[in-house]
Amino acid sequence: MSWKIDRVDGAALDLDEVLGVYHASGLGERRPVGDRERFAAMVENANLVLVARDDEGVLLGIVRAVSDFSYVTYVSDIAVVRDHQRSGIGRALIDATRGEAPDAKLVLLSAPAAVDYYPHIGFTRHESAWVLNP
């Protein structure tokens, strides 16, 4: 199967299609997928959104990020449907994200199940990340 990565306007995406990817990837377990208004705002307000689609246009993966396109890009989410995980889509989405801001470092918080994935694609652990929840 082949797929294509494109940068898109998050506001133009079909919310149900995006929610389907979050559910099918497992990331929906840690995101407010039940709050459509909040989730829509998350997708619409990210200033860097990339998607992976197959030849028929089916959404297989998404990266949602915030970037200044100079110093840092914060990858808020990377989701790939389970049936297509380990096929290179995640790495391609990260590479495409990096290509949009090649001089910026990528920063992300890993889902517990993905902790071993990120070193495999070149990320290094950063011990001083902090989170202040609402």
Side-chain angles (χ1 to χ4, degrees):
M1 166 184 280
S2 65
W3 32 265
K4 183 179 177 202
I5 307 289
D6 288 305
R7 182 174 176 185
V8 299
D9 175 6
L13 290 172
D14 178 275
L15 186 60
D16 289 322
E17 185 179 38
V18 174
L19 285 166
V21 168
Y22 277 72
H23 285 292
S25 69
L27 190 57
E29 298 166 9
R30 290 172 303 285
R31 296 295 184 270
V33 293
D35 184 341
R36 289 181 65 86
E37 185 175 326
R38 185 175 186 193
F39 198 86
M42 289 167 51
V43 176
E44 291 169 9
N45 292 321
N47 71 339
L48 181 55
V49 179
L50 294 105
V51 297
R53 292 187 182 277
D54 70 12
D55 294 334
E56 282 85 48
V58 175
L59 187 63
L60 303 175
I62 185 169
V63 165
R64 194 176 61 80
V66 177
S67 184
D68 59 22
F69 299 97
S70 177
Y71 179 71
V72 67
T73 298
Y74 296 98
V75 177
S76 302
D77 297 329
I78 178 168
V80 176
V81 297
R82 280 189 182 103
D83 291 347
H84 295 282
Q85 290 175 0
R86 300 178 193 253
S87 69
I89 293 174
R91 180 186 296 262
L93 284 166
I94 290 293
D95 289 346
T97 301
R98 188 162 219 186
E100 292 292 326
D103 295 327
K105 62 183 162 187
L106 294 184
V107 176
L108 60 80
L109 297 175
S110 175
V115 169
D116 294 330
Y117 171 71
Y118 293 104
H120 175 73
I121 62 170
F123 281 79
T124 57
R125 183 177 298 275
H126 193 282
E127 297 298 330
S128 62
W130 301 92
V131 176
L132 180 62
N133 291 314

